[in-house]
Amino acid sequence: MLKSMLETFTDNNGRARLTAIAGTVELSNLIPPTVSYESRGNLLIIGAYDTITALAPQFSTLNSVTLLATSAADAVQMTNDSKVFFSNDVTITGYLGAFEVNCRVAGSLLNTDTNLAEVTIGGTSFDLVVDMSADGFINTEIPAPGYYPVGSGKATLADVIETLPDMLGTFDKPKYFRLNNDICAHSSRGVSGCTRCVDACPAGALSSNGHAIEINPFLCQGVGTCATACPTEAITYALPEPEKTQNFIYRLLNSYQMAGGEKPTVLFFGNRDEKTVTEKLPLLPSNVIPIALEELATIGVDTWFSALIYGAHQVLLATNLAYIPETIDRVLNEELAIADTFLTEMGFEAQRICLFDLNAAGDFVALEKALLPVDTNNIAGMDSAVLTEQLSGTKREKLFMALDKLHAHSPLKPTNSNVPDNAPYGGVECKTDDCTLCMGCVAVCPTRALHAVGGRPGLQFKEQDCVQCGLCEKACPEQVITLKPGLNWDAESRQSAVMLHEEEAACCLSCGKAFAPASMINMLTEKLQGHSQFQGDAIRRLSMCEDC
């Protein structure tokens, strides 16, 4: 559908765009990991008595239909109706094939807490839930598979009546994420830190067990906000992997410009909006290149700035304002606030990266100038088949590489900039007079931004790796570490390991090995010299290493 529309453009940019899109293969996971749901067709309909009893006959082909009325007024109506249960104290958890419904049931059952599926269908859970209540019993912005909140307006009754009879059997869904708790900044050694991913999930799939992040793959809907919000790449999107997405953008922009296209603007959009994009694209200039994503929020500032480095004059994020959930909107706007800060601090227009309402396509005016001069970008120069160097490394490393390239050609060339609240960029301050070099901060740092010197007592810090998670600040027993949000534009100092604190080493009285800060051993000796267990030669143990 989209390709057919692109074929209608016959100008130079239009032909180059079609050539690039047709000739650039998007690499995706050949066999993505999946999770499976098993539905036996046991349905629960919950809501007002009149509504659910009228709706029940629509699902007669399912294995079973259980009705649960929820308002006190319904209890009177259903006194003689043994097919309907009543409760105004209900909790529902789960997903397709595994909805556990616990409630205090009145009417035909004793007034006790119970698992409704056990007493109605002889199982532990329902497979499907149609919720006709106004507020809904599962309060997530994106409903779990198999849960249809018609009453709250997040699902339409006509669609539910049409699709539910087919919801029997085994269903596979991609596992959209990868999780590496070893580099997660959420928690370490009992200290709590970053919660960006949990706060960014609109489906309720992420939670903390107190020690680590857990993701329920059955609730995950593949929105990607968790991966975009994660500053350490502990969570990464897997459909496709971020590296493959950026590689596709790189090759697509190269193909467009090598085919003679000029002044490219990138339009990112989620797959669900393809129809709207197809309708609105004829209103946009032919140098606007549409790039489909599984979901719009699966990419963030690193990918946006990479596109600018690869020659895009502007990056547009196509939004469907009638659909976008509040959490996704918030995460996108937080990322955009960071992008806006970086661009404006350098003296560039904030609209180089911006949300774009597809309904305003007719009013769009493209930016004429690229951020980088043509002679610094071999792609844009088109003077040879040699590509400009593709950014590599972690998403954080790629972002800083892009920023450093732009900073070198920026009008303002800032040295230090403030960043929006909760942005994962900045440094730390250490009150060295009170620091004992206990290395508690080093033990909890997920990125090794804080690390030991090695061979002698010392604490070093690399600003580029600091994600401002706060673990070091909370773990410090002396409370001498303070976060300092901001962006240091000097690449050399930002990437260098800076000595925060260093002391003379205490050497083992027995073997001579340096094993601790001298000040710490002196402090312990002074405090314990009067203790009964450290009299005579016993006090010498404090001045020996762990081996001796």
Side-chain angles (χ1 to χ4, degrees):
M1 183 169 59
L2 180 59
K3 183 179 178 181
S4 298
M5 189 281 302
L6 293 174
E7 291 174 346
T8 63
F9 287 82
T10 58
D11 64 309
N12 184 63
N13 284 339
R15 291 194 301 271
R17 179 174 64 181
L18 180 61
T19 299
I21 291 176
T24 307
V25 177
E26 183 171 8
L27 300 177
S28 59
N29 303 18
L30 297 179
I31 307 177
T34 60
V35 294
S36 296
Y37 301 89
E38 185 71 33
S39 173
R40 298 162 297 281
N42 295 311
L43 169 67
L44 171 70
I45 307 177
I46 184 169
Y49 178 84
D50 290 343
T51 302
I52 63 177
T53 52
L55 186 59
Q58 299 285 347
F59 306 110
S60 58
T61 59
L62 294 177
N63 187 44
S64 70
V65 179
T66 301
L67 305 180
L68 179 61
T70 55
S71 67
D74 295 337
V76 177
Q77 289 180 273
M78 54 167 280
T79 302
N80 298 318
D81 193 340
S82 60
K83 298 179 181 179
V84 183
F85 301 93
F86 164 74
S87 177
N88 56 8
D89 184 6
V90 182
T91 58
I92 302 176
T93 58
Y95 44 84
L96 177 64
F99 285 105
E100 186 172 320
V101 181
N102 291 294
C103 56
R104 186 175 292 274
V105 178
S108 60
L109 297 177
L110 295 176
N111 190 28
T112 57
D113 288 329
T114 187
N115 180 322
L116 187 61
E118 290 180 357
V119 298
T120 56
I121 60 173
T124 58
S125 61
F126 294 100
D127 302 305
L128 304 157
V129 176
V130 174
D131 190 346
M132 303 301 294
S133 64
D135 297 327
F137 284 90
I138 298 181
N139 295 316
T140 56
E141 295 173 53
I142 298 180
Y147 175 71
Y148 303 92
V150 176
S152 60
K154 295 178 182 177
T156 63
L157 185 57
D159 288 343
V160 171
I161 292 173
E162 181 180 352
T163 61
L164 232 60
D166 296 326
M167 296 300 292
L168 284 86
T170 301
F171 302 88
D172 291 331
K173 175 181 73 67
K175 187 177 180 181
Y176 292 100
F177 64 89
R178 291 189 176 94
L179 174 62
N180 179 4
N181 271 314
D182 290 340
I183 57 173
C184 179
H186 172 65
S187 179
S188 180
R189 299 172 185 258
V191 181
S192 298
C194 175
T195 61
R196 292 167 63 91
C197 60
V198 176
D199 299 336
C201 181
L206 281 88
S207 61
S208 169
N209 63 15
H211 305 287
I213 291 296
E214 294 180 340
I215 305 179
N216 187 327
F218 295 97
L219 293 178
C220 175
Q221 302 291 294
V223 173
T225 44
C226 57
T228 297
C230 179
T232 66
E233 286 189 288
I235 301 177
T236 55
Y237 201 71
L239 197 71
E241 296 162 347
E243 190 68 27
K244 292 179 179 177
T245 298
Q246 288 204 12
N247 181 264
F248 172 74
I249 296 167
Y250 172 70
R251 291 180 293 111
L252 182 67
L253 284 169
N254 173 70
S255 297
Y256 171 79
Q257 293 173 92
M258 290 299 179
E262 299 178 339
K263 304 175 182 178
T265 290
V266 169
L267 175 70
F268 290 115
F269 67 94
N271 282 332
R272 72 177 74 249
D273 292 325
E274 180 176 350
K275 180 179 179 181
T276 306
V277 170
T278 303
E279 293 173 352
K280 301 296 183 180
L281 205 58
L283 302 176
L284 295 169
S286 57
N287 62 341
V288 175
I289 305 173
I291 298 179
L293 304 167
E294 184 74 19
E295 294 282 355
L296 183 61
T298 58
I299 60 172
V301 288
D302 57 306
T303 301
W304 302 341
F305 275 98
S306 295
L308 294 179
I309 292 299
Y310 298 150
H313 287 210
Q314 192 173 9
V315 172
L316 305 177
L317 309 174
T319 56
N320 185 335
L321 298 179
Y323 162 75
I324 189 165
E326 181 181 344
T327 298
I328 300 177
D329 187 52
R330 175 179 58 78
V331 171
L332 282 174
N333 277 290
E334 286 176 353
E335 288 287 294
L336 283 165
I338 293 171
D340 181 289
T341 298
F342 292 161
L343 288 167
T344 55
E345 285 289 305
M346 288 187 284
F348 298 125
E349 306 97 321
Q351 63 265 36
R352 291 284 181 175
I353 302 174
C354 62
L355 287 176
F356 180 65
D357 184 357
L358 291 169
N359 293 320
D363 300 325
F364 174 72
V365 178
L367 296 176
E368 289 294 313
K369 294 183 179 179
L371 289 182
L372 293 180
V374 168
D375 60 1
T376 69
N377 187 329
N378 287 334
I379 288 184
M382 293 183 294
D383 53 359
S384 72
V386 180
L387 306 185
T388 189
E389 182 181 357
Q390 186 175 358
L391 304 180
S392 61
T394 66
K395 73 174 185 179
R396 194 173 181 86
E397 290 169 341
K398 285 184 282 192
L399 172 62
F400 278 116
M401 288 174 65
L403 292 177
D404 291 340
K405 286 178 178 286
L406 292 173
H407 183 266
H409 297 276
S410 67
L412 299 183
K413 291 184 171 56
T415 54
N416 289 279
S417 299
N418 294 326
V419 293
D421 293 343
N422 202 38
Y425 311 99
V428 297
E429 290 181 342
C430 177
K431 297 177 183 177
T432 56
D433 291 345
D434 297 321
C435 177
T436 63
L437 289 175
C438 69
M439 298 299 162
C441 56
V442 172
V444 299
C445 182
T447 64
R448 293 196 75 252
L450 286 165
H451 55 275
V453 175
R456 65 185 194 276
L459 177 64
Q460 289 187 323
F461 176 70
K462 185 177 178 182
E463 183 173 345
Q464 181 160 305
D465 293 341
C466 179
V467 297
Q468 298 286 290
C469 64
L471 286 172
C472 59
E473 189 177 45
K474 294 176 182 177
C476 179
E478 311 299 337
Q479 298 183 337
V480 299
I481 292 181
T482 305
L483 298 181
K484 188 180 178 182
L487 183 67
N488 175 9
W489 290 95
D490 182 68
E492 183 177 354
S493 65
R494 192 183 65 237
Q495 296 169 4
S496 300
V498 178
M499 186 70 70
L500 293 183
H501 185 41
E502 185 178 21
E503 286 189 16
E504 178 186 354
C507 296
C508 178
L509 293 178
S510 178
C511 68
K513 182 179 74 173
F515 71 97
S519 63
M520 179 183 291
I521 301 305
N522 293 335
M523 179 267 292
L524 290 173
T525 301
E526 182 179 344
K527 288 187 175 183
L528 295 174
Q529 61 186 353
H531 195 281
S532 60
Q533 298 296 317
F534 291 92
Q535 298 304 303
D537 286 344
I539 195 74
R540 290 168 53 84
R541 295 201 302 267
L542 295 175
S543 298
M544 294 182 183
C545 68
E546 66 276 12
D547 297 325
C548 297

